[in-house]
Amino acid sequence: MKNTKIIAALLVIVTVLSAAFPAYAEGDKEEVIISQLDLADDPAAAIERVLKKVKDLDDYELTVIVPEGTYVMNSGLHIYSNTTLIFKGNTKLIRNFAEGSMLKAGTQNDVNEGYNGYKNITVIGGEWDNSYTSTTCCIRFAHCKNVLLKDMFVKNVYDSHHMEIGAADTLTVDNVTFTGYKRYKNTSGEALQIDPVHSEKHFKAYQLLDDTPCKNITVKNCKFTNVFSGVGTRAGVTGSYFTNIKIINNSFSNIADKAILAFNYANSQISGNVINGATVGIFFEEYPQTHLTSKLYMPFDSSKGTNIRTNINTKIFNNTINVVKKSGYTPSCGIGIYGGVMSSATANNTGLKSGSYLVNNISVTNNKITLKSAASRGLEFEYVNSSTVTANTVNGRVKANSGINGITFYRCKKNKVSKNIVKGKVQYGIVLGSSSNTSAFNKNSISGSQQCGIAVTGGSKLVIDTSNHFGKNGTVGAYITDDAIKKPAIKGKLKVARKKNRNVVKWEKCETASGYFVYRKTSKNGAYTRVATIKNRNKTVFAQNTKTKCYYLVAPYRAYKGSVIIGEKVSR
């Protein structure tokens, strides 16, 4: 009789446990559906008990399903390798504790190096409400590989990040909403931070800070609204680059500071994003414009390499950006690309590495930018070389003389600038300053600027050919070293005569020209090539021995301070 009672009691215990954790197991795989009964008293503890099942198991796959409900969390969750955590329906998780993240890869006591800590993790669903109760990041992942965070809603953070990623390889954030931010201290506060694991200032609560950069990170289809900054990186380590970072097809609205920040990125892509209301749309930086020593660091172990990379190989394209200054933290800009040069003196004073932190081989194409604040820049480039800036549109939507510039280049060399459109009420259309030049400058259109279409200053040099359009709506054509230079023009038509196997070309003198370029083609449907440069405005005849009839173009040009403006071509 006594044994019968014991057996009955054991059966009751097994039945209760089974109700708490309905599960099936097949080989090394298991699925656990946590019951509402077990979640009723302490939801965080109930979920945590199940997650711990795989803490020390390398090849055991666990799927944990949390039924729909609203759960007050008295502690954070810790997730481990080979785990899928699914929150069904409109599950709400409300923070009710002071320290630690609501969700974290591993525990604070785990010591992992590189990407070897946690792998094969998926988290789907859940509204994660940080409740403005802690400056700790709501969700934090580091030293991890192959992670998917999907269909989540993360909100109500102050002086911290909604989500922070460090030392991660192959991590995707897909269809996650970030919203609700309060800023009490002077901190940047990106909603989704992709961070260097260098110091506790930038990445807390992990034992090993080893400078491991993030790579193969994708942020897509996410929504950022009513936050201070959106997504990105604001600090890095010399010689350690974030590679293959893709920020694609996200939406940003009402961003106080920067929507996207990219520091020390290479081989990356920023495309298809819609930014509606931010002080800065996209801020791409290889060398800090401000706060040098709090943004750029020497590695802990310099033997691993401190080579400064200048071939950035990054594409920024098809973004739609509407900027309006919302904070005094930074000037307003649609897209800013910044490199720099560190002197030996600065390096000695800071402990950093001297050299050229230049941006080479970046492509900025097909972006549409609208400016709604004074003293804004559509596209701004500094220390950017051998790159492509094509088919972008900048539209100024502020009152006249507001200090808006369409596209500016400072200390930039050999960039291809073509097919860009600057329109609306801007003060300067395209600016080259501080000894800048281009490898090509063609088919750009500037209209409506208040002072000039193109400004070339500070020892810069530019060849402005006839494919560029400027001069309408009150725009002065070009300023070169602070002097207004009008585009030279030839009055009348070109005259071509055939005399004894010679073609003789004549035109009227242009008083504002420095000389003339002569172009020729040998057939009606052929292409023109330049055959002569006449460096005398008074010489208005060109003769050429040829046995065939040819077609000619003549264009006046004005050379001034190293730059050249080519006037409209006349042909025959």
Side-chain angles (χ1 to χ4, degrees):
M1 186 70 178
K2 184 176 181 181
N3 290 337
T4 303
K5 291 182 179 180
I6 293 174
I7 292 171
L10 288 173
L11 287 173
V12 171
I13 292 171
V14 169
T15 302
V16 171
L17 288 175
S18 179
F21 301 111
Y24 73 83
E26 180 180 348
D28 294 330
K29 295 182 179 180
E30 182 177 3
E31 180 181 285
V32 176
I33 303 173
I34 305 179
S35 72
Q36 292 282 8
L37 177 63
D38 198 63
L39 289 165
D41 293 331
D42 191 339
I47 300 171
E48 184 81 351
R49 281 197 300 272
V50 183
L51 292 176
K52 281 183 178 180
K53 290 168 67 73
V54 295
K55 185 177 188 304
D56 299 315
L57 301 176
D58 291 335
D59 299 318
Y60 196 86
E61 296 181 21
L62 174 66
T63 298
V64 181
I65 299 175
V66 179
E68 183 173 1
T70 298
Y71 306 111
V72 177
M73 308 293 283
N74 295 320
S75 58
L77 303 178
H78 303 86
I79 195 166
Y80 307 95
S81 293
N82 306 314
T83 298
T84 296
L85 176 59
I86 301 172
F87 294 89
K88 303 295 285 187
N90 297 316
T91 294
K92 294 178 173 58
L93 307 164
I94 302 171
R95 183 188 185 105
N96 188 37
F97 58 97
E99 298 299 327
S101 300
M102 292 189 72
L103 177 65
K104 185 174 183 288
T107 70
Q108 187 163 340
N109 296 322
D110 298 340
V111 179
N112 298 298
E113 183 176 5
Y115 311 112
N116 298 321
Y118 317 98
K119 62 183 179 181
N120 307 327
I121 297 173
T122 297
V123 181
I124 299 175
E127 179 181 296
W128 302 78
D129 187 351
N130 218 47
S131 304
Y132 299 119
T133 59
S134 173
T135 58
T136 305
C137 295
C138 184
I139 296 171
R140 178 180 275 127
F141 278 75
H143 298 298
C144 56
K145 185 174 183 179
N146 193 22
V147 175
L148 172 63
L149 306 172
K150 183 177 173 62
D151 301 338
M152 304 167 74
F153 194 104
V154 190
K155 67 180 186 179
N156 299 339
V157 173
Y158 84 90
D159 285 348
S160 189
H161 311 291
H162 295 65
M163 184 182 292
E164 188 173 26
I165 308 299
D169 176 9
T170 313
L171 184 147
T172 298
V173 182
D174 184 5
N175 191 36
V176 175
T177 295
F178 302 85
T179 189
Y181 182 79
K182 292 182 180 180
R183 186 171 184 254
Y184 299 112
K185 297 180 181 179
N186 187 24
T187 181
S188 292
E190 295 78 27
L192 170 53
Q193 175 140 352
I194 304 166
D195 222 357
V197 182
H198 178 79
S199 71
E200 287 201 357
K201 177 180 179 181
H202 293 284
F203 212 100
K204 298 178 180 179
Y206 278 95
Q207 288 290 323
L208 187 58
L209 302 172
D210 60 359
D211 292 334
T212 301
C214 292
K215 64 179 181 179
N216 305 318
I217 307 297
T218 300
V219 181
K220 63 179 182 179
N221 307 319
C222 293
K223 182 178 180 180
F224 299 82
T225 181
N226 300 320
V227 295
F228 185 75
S229 291
V231 57
T233 305
R234 58 186 168 95
V237 177
T238 295
S240 178
Y241 289 84
F242 297 83
T243 56
N244 194 27
I245 309 299
K246 294 181 179 179
I247 303 173
I248 55 178
N249 300 332
N250 304 285
S251 69
F252 302 80
S253 62
N254 194 25
I255 309 297
D257 197 65
K258 303 176 183 71
I260 299 174
L261 304 86
F263 188 89
N264 270 27
Y265 282 21
N267 298 335
S268 294
Q269 174 184 328
I270 302 173
S271 66
N273 300 286
V274 176
I275 301 170
N276 187 16
T279 299
V280 176
I282 300 171
F283 190 82
F284 190 98
E285 192 176 42
E286 294 299 308
Y287 183 80
Q289 301 298 293
T290 59
H291 309 296
L292 174 66
T293 56
S294 64
K295 295 180 72 173
L296 184 63
Y297 302 95
M298 281 293 285
F300 293 126
D301 184 359
S302 60
S303 66
K304 292 183 178 179
T306 56
N307 291 331
I308 300 171
R309 179 173 183 168
T310 60
N311 183 13
I312 301 307
N313 188 31
T314 289
K315 300 182 186 302
I316 300 175
F317 61 96
N318 293 350
N319 299 284
T320 301
I321 303 171
N322 180 341
V323 294
V324 56
K325 190 171 178 62
K326 292 176 174 290
S327 75
Y329 188 72
T330 189
S332 181
C333 180
I335 300 176
I337 315 291
Y338 307 100
V341 176
M342 184 182 293
S343 67
S344 296
T346 300
N348 290 335
N349 290 333
T350 60
L352 296 168
K353 184 178 180 181
S354 64
S356 297
Y357 294 77
L358 299 176
V359 177
N360 284 273
N361 191 20
I362 192 166
S363 173
V364 181
T365 61
N366 288 300
N367 300 286
K368 293 179 174 57
I369 300 169
T370 301
L371 305 176
K372 293 187 175 182
S373 292
S376 297
R377 305 289 183 266
L379 297 166
E380 185 169 52
F381 303 87
E382 186 166 355
Y383 287 105
V384 178
N385 295 344
S386 302
S387 295
T388 301
V389 183
T390 62
N392 302 285
T393 299
V394 178
N395 188 5
R397 299 292 297 275
V398 193
K399 64 181 181 180
N401 299 316
S402 58
I404 286 178
N405 289 345
I407 306 175
T408 61
F409 298 87
Y410 299 103
R411 304 173 185 88
C412 296
K413 309 289 185 183
K414 299 180 181 179
N415 295 300
K416 180 182 179 181
V417 182
S418 63
K419 299 181 182 179
N420 299 289
I421 298 172
V422 180
K423 61 183 180 179
K425 294 179 179 179
V426 300
Q427 192 164 359
Y428 296 96
I430 298 178
V431 178
L432 266 71
S434 302
S435 300
S436 296
N437 61 42
T438 65
S439 63
F441 187 87
N442 51 57
K443 298 182 180 180
N444 300 288
S445 176
I446 305 102
S447 60
S449 57
Q450 304 301 303
Q451 292 196 12
C452 67
I454 300 171
V456 185
T457 64
S460 299
K461 297 179 181 179
L462 180 64
V463 175
I464 307 171
D465 68 24
T466 56
S467 67
N468 296 286
H469 172 76
F470 60 94
K472 286 188 176 182
N473 302 326
T475 303
V476 175
Y479 276 112
I480 298 176
T481 315
D482 299 324
D483 289 332
I485 307 298
K486 292 183 178 180
K487 183 185 292 187
I490 296 174
K491 295 180 179 179
K493 296 182 179 181
L494 199 67
K495 297 178 181 179
V496 180
R498 180 90 175 148
K499 295 181 180 181
K500 297 181 179 181
N501 292 328
R502 300 179 76 210
N503 291 329
V504 180
V505 185
K506 295 183 179 180
W507 59 90
E508 292 188 26
K509 182 174 73 171
C510 175
E511 295 291 347
T512 59
S514 301
Y516 309 93
F517 294 134
V518 181
Y519 304 83
R520 183 191 73 175
K521 65 179 180 180
T522 56
S523 64
K524 187 174 182 179
N525 296 322
Y528 282 104
T529 59
R530 191 193 298 182
V531 293
T533 300
I534 299 173
K535 298 180 180 181
N536 183 346
R537 75 164 63 94
N538 297 313
K539 185 177 179 180
T540 59
V541 177
F542 172 75
Q544 187 179 46
N545 293 328
T546 178
K547 295 181 180 180
T548 60
K549 178 183 177 181
C550 296
Y551 300 84
Y552 290 89
L553 288 175
V554 174
Y557 72 87
R558 174 72 186 274
Y560 185 76
K561 299 290 186 180
S563 293
V564 175
I565 299 179
I566 303 174
E568 297 299 330
K569 298 173 182 176
V570 292
S571 62
R572 177 67 183 273

